[in-house]
Amino acid sequence: GTCRTKLVRAVCDLWTGPGTQYFPWISLPDALRALYFLIRTPTVSGPVNIVGPNPVTNQEFTKTLGTLSTHSL
């Protein structure tokens, strides 16, 4: 639908330069588990980065998102 098309276009706008720069990403379930852990662990303090274990290039991410946009997101 239109919403998916706008999402893909917005992300495609992020692809600047040669597309070889790495793009950190994380799935929603992994992000929620990480946040749950942080809320329940008082010994963690300061800034925390939450990203997936396998970074991809911006080009790979954009192509995958484009492929998925033909299915439900």
Side-chain angles (χ1 to χ4, degrees):
T2 304
C3 184
R4 271 196 306 252
T5 303
K6 288 181 181 178
L7 174 64
V8 171
R9 285 186 186 147
V11 172
C12 287
D13 287 343
L14 297 175
W15 185 1
T16 57
T20 56
Q21 64 277 25
Y22 280 88
F23 189 87
W25 66 275
I26 189 165
S27 68
L28 181 58
D30 286 347
L32 294 175
R33 279 191 294 269
L35 291 172
Y36 180 76
F37 171 79
L38 293 170
I39 290 167
R40 309 248 326 151
T41 311
T43 56
V44 177
S45 65
V48 176
N49 289 325
I50 302 173
V51 295
N54 302 310
V56 295
T57 64
N58 200 338
Q59 183 177 27
E60 291 172 294
F61 182 84
T62 304
K63 284 183 179 181
T64 301
L65 184 64
T67 301
L68 294 174
S69 71
T70 61
H71 303 77
S72 37
L73 287 175

